[in-house]
Amino acid sequence: MKPSKEINTAVEKAFGMLAKDQVDVPIPMHIGIHESAVAGPGDCHIKGGYIEGTTTWTVKLANVSFYKNIEKGLSPGSGIFVVCDATNGAPLGIFQENRFLTDMRTGAAGAISVKHFAARHHDSVAFIGAGAIAMAMARATACEHTFKQGYAYGLDKAMTGQFAKNLEAACGYPVKVCDSAEEAVRASDVVFTQTPAAETVVELGWLKPHATIIASGSDQPTKNEIPVDVMKASKYVCDLVRQCSLVGELRTGLKTGAMKKEDVYCEIGEVVNGDKPGREGDELILVDLTGTGAQDAAIGQMAWELLSKS
């Protein structure tokens, strides 16, 4: 499997079903592995779901942010998918995918966000955070939208430089390594943020008035990439409101009183289904992606279908 329009479409359909309440998705479980002499730091996320009318359901365990692994020559992330038979409940496959499937379905969510919320003529893109998720976003989005110029900013400049080279090779447009997040954001029509930040990584004054921000870093209560004034100024879109209110950017807006749930314009699936328009003009749009079990169910189904035919 590799990023493709087919995967994007499967995830897009899952969002549509989710908005129709035709996906059984529990609130994610989070286990924090605090740093000590014998452990961490890191996080474990457990998600899953069943999409009505499909032949499988999926439970996914993703281990992320084990950054000390890098100095040991190991990936900071790992994980497994358990895909089960929707007829009898029996496990069909246990995939030690080490975040391969998670990153792919996350990238697809970013691609669908660009498809529905960025204008076709928006051709510059920034990546704040230059790791695996940023690459997944870029590669999946290249199946839906054409960018002419990229900008990248990460805390590790050498890593960001390698990311830029890999992105140029994968997607075919030049990528400038920036000295600050501000430099990257000011130059871009579309801004992807995918960091583990506990403090905000963009400012309202940096953003073009018509920018589309796709924020995927906040997936637990300790994280927050987007300041509340950006939330308030934006057409605010969630992957799943009840989840974003607990672990997404929306959580911070609600906690500070700057936002109410009624301020959310829509969930992505409502636009997919045609119930709400996506981009309507030159408005500022923020898409809050926390990662849903519907996406895991969709990619799990695709992975099982592929494996069972081999």
Side-chain angles (χ1 to χ4, degrees):
M1 296 178 73
K2 61 181 181 179
S4 66
K5 207 163 181 64
E6 290 74 22
I7 291 173
N8 292 349
T9 298
V11 170
E12 184 177 35
K13 289 180 178 178
F15 279 131
M17 296 285 279
L18 185 61
K20 293 178 181 177
D21 200 26
Q22 293 177 337
V23 186
D24 192 354
V25 175
I27 293 297
M29 180 189 298
H30 170 249
I31 302 170
I33 314 300
H34 298 291
E35 184 173 6
S36 70
V38 297
D43 297 288
C44 173
H45 301 157
I46 301 171
K47 298 179 180 179
Y50 173 65
I51 301 170
E52 288 185 17
T54 59
T55 60
T56 69
W57 55 277
T58 293
V59 175
K60 183 273 298 288
L61 182 152
N63 301 318
V64 300
S65 303
F66 283 83
Y67 293 115
K68 283 190 173 181
N69 283 2
I70 296 173
E71 61 194 44
K72 304 171 187 174
L74 301 173
S75 169
S78 62
I80 59 172
F81 269 58
V82 181
V83 179
C84 298
D85 191 314
T87 303
N88 57 32
L92 294 169
I94 300 175
F95 304 148
Q96 187 173 353
E97 47 82 53
N98 290 332
R99 289 192 52 83
F100 177 80
L101 294 175
T102 293
D103 291 351
M104 197 172 297
R105 65 75 151 151
T106 302
I112 296 311
S113 298
V114 171
K115 175 182 175 180
H116 289 287
F117 299 108
R120 300 310 296 177
H121 65 275
H122 289 172
D123 59 11
S124 56
V125 59
F127 298 91
I128 308 304
I133 293 298
M135 184 59 70
M137 293 288 188
R139 293 184 65 197
T141 300
C143 301
E144 305 289 341
H145 190 95
T146 300
F147 290 114
K148 294 180 180 178
Q149 177 66 53
Y151 302 89
Y153 173 74
L155 296 179
D156 185 324
K157 197 155 190 177
M159 178 179 170
T160 306
Q162 188 59 54
F163 166 82
K165 290 179 182 178
N166 293 343
L167 178 51
E168 288 176 347
C171 298
Y173 53 84
V175 180
K176 179 183 178 183
V177 175
C178 296
D179 292 325
S180 67
E182 180 178 359
E183 179 187 358
V185 171
R186 283 188 180 277
S188 299
D189 299 311
V190 176
V191 178
F192 286 99
T193 65
Q194 50 279 312
T195 74
E199 297 181 357
T200 57
V201 298
V202 302
E203 293 184 12
L204 181 59
W206 302 350
L207 292 158
K208 293 187 177 185
H210 61 261
T212 304
I213 313 145
I214 299 165
S216 63
S218 183
D219 53 9
Q220 63 188 50
T222 59
K223 298 179 181 179
N224 174 216
E225 294 186 304
I226 308 300
V228 293
D229 60 345
V230 173
M231 299 184 209
K232 195 70 178 174
S234 303
K235 176 186 281 187
Y236 190 94
V237 180
C238 289
D239 53 9
L240 185 60
V241 172
R242 61 186 171 89
Q243 187 167 299
C244 290
S245 67
L246 297 175
V247 298
E249 300 298 338
L250 180 59
R251 177 194 61 82
T252 302
L254 296 174
K255 183 178 179 180
T256 61
M259 296 282 287
K260 304 185 295 295
K261 287 186 180 180
E262 294 75 21
D263 293 325
V264 176
Y265 171 68
C266 69
E267 293 181 348
I268 294 171
E270 294 177 81
V271 175
V272 170
N273 294 335
D275 297 325
K276 290 278 187 77
R279 176 166 289 279
E280 297 175 273
D282 290 331
E283 72 270 37
L284 182 67
I285 299 178
L286 170 61
V287 184
D288 189 356
L289 299 178
T290 53
T292 70
Q295 295 159 251
D296 296 313
I299 198 83
Q301 175 85 28
M302 288 193 75
W304 172 249
E305 289 176 353
L306 183 64
L307 180 65
S308 61
K309 291 175 184 176
S310 62

